Amino acid sequence: MTRAGWIRTAIVLGAIAALELVTQAGLVSRHTIIPPTAMAAALWGLIASGEIVPDITKTVSNVAAAFVLSVAGGFVLGLLIHAAPRLRRALDPLLATYYAVPFFVFYPLLIVIFGMSDLPIIVIGFLFGVVAMIIATLNGLDRVPRVALKVARLSRMDPVSIALIIKFPAATPYLFTGIKLAVAYSFIGVIASEFILSGAGLGFAISYAYNNFDTPKMYALMLFILVSVTAVNMVLHTIEQRMLRRRGLAR
Amino acid sequence: MTERAPAWKRYGDSLALLAGLVLLWWLLSRWAGEEALTGPAETLARAQELLQSRRFHGHVTESLTALGYALLLAALGGLGLGTWLGVRRLAGQVAEPILVALYALPKITLYPVILLIFGLGLPAKVAFGAIHGIIPVTIFTLNAVRTIRPVYLKVARTLRLTPWQAFRTVWLPAALPEIVSGQRVGFALTLLGVLIGEMFASQRGVGFVLINAIGLNDVPTIMAAAFLLAVFAATVSAILLKIDRALHRRTIRA
């Protein structure tokens, strides 16, 4: 590990230890925040008893569905928009201001359209993630080397194989940025919708625990989300670094 | 950069696209029924009604106050923190992955903690908006400061500029375009944070109007409030985007 990596680990561990000390010493009320060890114990209890397994399954599968849809949809839409420069110019201001609009206010309308199921939540996660992927795809396609496209033309490749054999690999580093954002936005979209509007899933379970003063359960679930989102991020970061190194682009 | 197209040509296509979206909205509302999805004309009428009612003014003022404080905290805090982390290379290397991890975290899960610390009311909303906005502003500022070309800094050293002179004439102009991009993302997320805060635990503000309308299934009000929010957010974002693009173009030409 690098020097920065060691310092980072030390800081995170130090912060956890400090929180543990402060809460154990009773400097902060147990109703406000509980010691990290108590959070971990509560989380272990919840998982061992199987109490939150259905919520976890629901949230994870919704996030996964939203993520796959936004990456696949964003890539295809990005390809199409890139092929039509005039449409792209017209779309540009809309894409740039897209994330300023809070989508989950459309949840009730989505329920009317899609029915009372997981679908509205997946759609919100998709709406959050897809535009990041479109923007990343456009960025990546802008940077495909001209000479590679010329070679493709000389070899008389058809559009589909150009997309798959030339454009996709050349744009991969930028696509990866989009994929990372799509993961983050799928998580945020799904959990925020569950938190405010739904009756199931991890987001709902946290809000329910909060409303019932079930502080240990609330913190246990927060810990779970924190750890799993961080873990997913670290895996993606590792894959990205490996890919960049192979291309000699590593920072 | 090639010659820019005339204004009518640049905006004409965007306007046509917007008109298409409104048409789609109208068709959807016809298909789903007026009680499921209010059409464009009715939404505009309800929005006008809201804008004229005194009660809605109170909610807007409340939301704008919270947004103002949260933006101040996020913009200045992120700027300061990002600059510091950008100048101190090691500190930046240590902090960046932590910041990126925090960015990806659904911060709404932390809202109960904010409420337990700040209690119900304005401070909780401000804090929640600020934690949404401060992270992207910090990340963008950090990268802006870190990627200043070393030759600029060498020139500043060679000319023996005082730290203040160097900051004003070298650091700030070099980092400004990226910083403005960060502020743009920060604005959108701060607004989102304040709204979520109001939706979840508040009796005032536009977020409360929305969640109340959702509870009553008052579709015209949902659509009108969402429409007004979208217009507001898009306008501010478009202004910042314009500044952003102008600054970036200037840098490329220079």
Side-chain angles (χ1 to χ4, degrees):
Chain A
M1 200 157 34
T2 58
R3 179 150 160 253
W6 284 111
I7 299 177
R8 193 180 311 127
T9 317
I11 288 177
V12 171
L13 289 178
I16 295 173
L19 186 61
E20 181 80 29
L21 277 177
V22 167
T23 43
Q24 291 286 7
L27 293 174
V28 185
S29 153
R30 284 275 173 128
H31 295 294
T32 304
I33 197 157
I34 63 171
T37 45
M39 293 179 199
L43 178 58
W44 178 244
L46 285 173
I47 293 175
S49 70
E51 193 186 330
I52 55 158
V53 175
D55 284 327
I56 292 180
T57 326
K58 195 172 193 72
T59 299
V60 169
S61 56
N62 283 351
V63 170
F67 165 71
V68 170
L69 282 175
S70 43
V71 168
F75 181 63
V76 173
L77 284 174
L79 274 179
L80 293 178
I81 294 171
H82 192 262
R86 192 163 166 198
L87 173 67
R88 182 180 176 185
R89 248 199 324 275
L91 264 176
D92 208 32
L94 299 185
L95 290 181
T97 49
Y98 182 81
Y99 279 104
V101 180
F103 297 97
F104 45 89
V105 300
F106 297 118
Y107 185 74
L109 314 171
L110 293 175
I111 288 188
V112 174
I113 298 173
F114 296 107
M116 191 67 195
S117 63
D118 288 343
L119 217 51
I121 289 187
I122 295 176
V123 170
I124 291 181
F126 167 74
L127 286 176
F128 258 78
V130 72
V131 169
M133 191 64 199
I134 293 179
I135 293 172
T137 309
L138 289 176
N139 267 336
L141 291 179
D142 281 343
R143 287 166 179 80
V144 174
R146 286 257 173 89
V147 61
L149 294 175
K150 276 187 191 154
V151 170
R153 226 172 12 222
L154 284 176
S155 338
R156 305 202 178 179
M157 292 166 74
D158 58 293
V160 176
S161 24
I162 291 181
L164 289 179
I165 301 175
I166 307 277
K167 288 183 179 169
F168 183 74
T172 314
Y174 296 90
L175 295 182
F176 215 88
T177 311
I179 290 175
K180 282 200 297 189
L181 284 174
V183 172
Y185 286 141
S186 305
F187 263 106
I188 293 174
V190 167
I191 291 180
S193 316
E194 286 175 350
F195 198 88
I196 307 182
L197 305 156
S198 165
L202 282 175
F204 169 73
I206 292 180
S207 143
Y208 190 80
Y210 169 73
N211 286 326
N212 290 287
F213 302 105
D214 192 349
T215 318
K217 184 173 177 183
M218 181 181 94
Y219 277 110
L221 293 171
M222 283 182 191
L223 180 69
F224 178 79
I225 292 181
L226 198 97
V227 170
S228 40
V229 172
T230 312
V232 170
N233 257 322
M234 275 163 68
V235 170
L236 285 175
H237 183 75
T238 315
I239 299 175
E240 187 186 28
Q241 288 302 317
R242 189 168 301 167
M243 190 183 73
L244 289 179
R245 244 197 317 276
R246 216 172 33 223
R247 288 159 179 259
L249 292 169
R251 278 181 283 175
Chain B
M1 209 164 172
T2 50
E3 198 62 33
R4 297 175 76 204
W8 64 269
K9 213 170 175 181
R10 266 185 295 141
Y11 295 115
D13 286 350
S14 292
L15 285 179
L17 199 69
L18 269 181
L21 286 178
V22 172
L23 186 68
L24 190 72
W25 175 10
W26 182 77
L27 286 174
L28 263 179
S29 79
R30 282 303 98 118
W31 173 70
E34 197 61 32
E35 59 282 347
L37 179 62
T38 313
E42 293 80 359
T43 303
L44 268 183
R46 179 78 187 119
Q48 203 164 17
E49 221 174 284
L50 277 181
L51 283 178
Q52 275 158 4
S53 82
R54 178 161 298 177
R55 185 190 289 209
F56 190 68
H57 280 182
H59 289 303
V60 170
T61 316
E62 171 82 12
S63 292
L64 282 180
T65 316
L67 179 65
Y69 285 127
L71 273 179
L72 205 65
L73 281 174
L76 295 182
L79 202 60
L81 198 61
T83 310
W84 185 73
L85 290 173
V87 175
R88 306 262 153 179
R89 204 150 286 253
L90 183 65
Q93 279 170 359
V94 170
E96 203 186 2
I98 300 180
L99 286 171
V100 172
L102 284 178
Y103 183 61
L105 187 74
K107 275 161 282 293
I108 187 149
T109 52
L110 300 178
Y111 197 45
V113 185
I114 302 268
L115 278 179
L116 287 170
I117 295 172
F118 291 96
L120 291 169
L122 192 65
K125 281 191 256 181
V126 171
F128 197 57
I131 59 168
H132 268 80
I134 197 167
I135 296 171
V137 175
T138 308
I139 296 177
F140 270 85
T141 311
L142 162 64
N143 281 320
V145 173
R146 195 159 55 187
T147 51
I148 292 178
R149 286 170 55 190
V151 64
Y152 294 168
L153 306 180
K154 269 187 204 152
V155 170
R157 254 199 319 266
T158 316
L159 294 175
R160 303 205 179 180
L161 297 184
T162 62
W164 169 245
Q165 280 175 325
F167 174 76
R168 211 164 44 90
T169 56
V170 179
W171 292 83
L172 193 63
L176 201 59
E178 279 305 299
I179 290 176
V180 173
S181 304
Q183 297 288 358
R184 202 163 63 79
V185 179
F187 163 77
L189 285 171
T190 310
L191 176 65
L192 196 67
V194 169
L195 280 176
I196 295 180
E198 287 178 342
M199 286 178 95
F200 180 59
S202 181
Q203 297 295 321
R204 275 179 296 178
V206 180
F208 169 71
V209 173
L210 267 171
I211 198 78
N212 202 25
I214 290 175
L216 297 168
N217 200 25
D218 177 359
V219 184
T221 306
I222 300 175
M223 289 302 292
F227 174 74
L228 291 175
L229 273 174
V231 169
F232 169 70
T235 311
V236 176
S237 193
I239 293 170
L240 287 172
L241 184 69
K242 208 150 178 74
I243 301 176
D244 190 348
R245 296 248 160 107
L247 284 170
H248 272 103
R249 248 200 313 279
R250 199 189 64 180
T251 324
I252 290 167
R253 217 178 285 149

